[in-house]
């Protein structure tokens, strides 16, 4: 039972355009969501997060949107740069229940074309 | 700061062998976790710890043991390696006290023949 789903295994975007990565979840009790970026042969690196009490969080070129009614979050990268080419994982946490376990999606490979 | 350090980076084992994957963090983080990454499966939680002396199972704990005798170290033991345990293993840590992002090590690539 995949509680966090990234249905697009890959995405290609032209440099300078917007990249939109999507993530769906099934458990309405998730209260904290994160995006990680992963380069080959490296560990995932934290990118941006959002609490369930918000619907948007921005950090420079990266914005995460949360739609609780649709159980959907998305990561927008504007403008996209070749260095953004990586695998992006979304993750969700049941933090307020005291469990603090993060459930990860399967990842989306983003390729930014120069 | 070194962050989260995993050793070894690569390892090849024969079926039935045992080994320990090491993980150390120097950030005084309470929470530590082990994940495995397989193609098409994302990151799956094996075991985690919320402090020294406290461990619990994640999604895929079978065939693995952990212990947490110090805040800094969280080793993962494969008791009797099986080909199904061929994977990339990541250790992560984060501060306690609520929702916080995790810091990951660079992984151990393990092949079981």
């Amino acid at each position: 039972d995949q509680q966090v789903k990234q249905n697009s295994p890959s995405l290609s975007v032209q440099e300078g355009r917007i990249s939109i990565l999507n993530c769906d979840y099934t458990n309405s009790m998730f209260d904290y969501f994160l995006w990680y970026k992963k380069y080959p042969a490296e560990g995932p690196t934290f990118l941006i997060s959002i609490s369930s009490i918000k619907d948007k969080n921005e950090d420079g070129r990266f914005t995460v949107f949360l739609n609780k009614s649709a159980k959907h979050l998305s990561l927008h990268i504007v403008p996209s740069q070749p260095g953004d080419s990586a695998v992006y994982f979304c993750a969700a946490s049941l933090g307020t229940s005291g469990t603090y376990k993060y459930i990860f999606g399967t990842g989306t490979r983003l390729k930014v074309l120069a | 700061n070194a962050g989260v350090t995993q050793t070894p980076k690569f390892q090849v084992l024969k079926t039935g062998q045992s080994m320990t994957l090491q993980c150390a963090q120097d950030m005084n983080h309470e929470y530590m976790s082990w994940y495995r990454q397989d193609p098409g499966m994302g990151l799956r939680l094996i075991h985690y710890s919320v402090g020294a002396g406290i461990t619990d199972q994640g999604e895929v704990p079978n065939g693995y043991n952990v212990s947490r005798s110090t805040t800094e170290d969280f080793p993962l033991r494969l008791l009797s390696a099986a080909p199904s345990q061929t994977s990339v293993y990541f250790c992560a840590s984060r501060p306690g006290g609520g929702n916080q992002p995790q810091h990951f090590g660079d992984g151990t690539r393990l092949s079981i023949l």
Side-chain angles (χ1 to χ4, degrees), chain A residues 6 18-25 31-36 46-68 71-78 88-92:
Chain A
Q6 293 177 258
I18 184 170
S19 294
I20 300 176
L21 295 94
N22 294 305
C23 181
D24 296 297
Y25 61 95
D31 60 358
Y32 182 61
F33 303 87
L34 311 93
W35 284 94
Y36 283 85
F46 169 70
L47 198 55
I48 192 168
S49 64
I50 188 167
S51 164
S52 60
I53 62 173
K54 295 186 175 181
D55 54 19
K56 178 182 173 182
N57 188 28
E58 237 176 307
D59 184 1
R61 295 186 298 115
F62 302 92
T63 303
V64 56
F65 294 92
L66 176 62
N67 182 333
K68 287 187 289 295
K71 296 192 184 69
H72 177 83
L73 71 156
S74 60
L75 174 68
H76 293 209
I77 306 173
V78 184
Y88 290 78
F89 292 99
C90 65

Side-chain angles (χ1 to χ4, degrees), chain B residues 55-75:
Chain B
T55 64
D56 204 349
Q57 296 181 350
E59 302 169 73
V60 288
N62 292 340
Y64 307 95
N65 271 0
V66 291
S67 59
R68 184 100 179 267
S69 55
T70 67
T71 299
E72 295 78 21
D73 299 298
F74 191 42

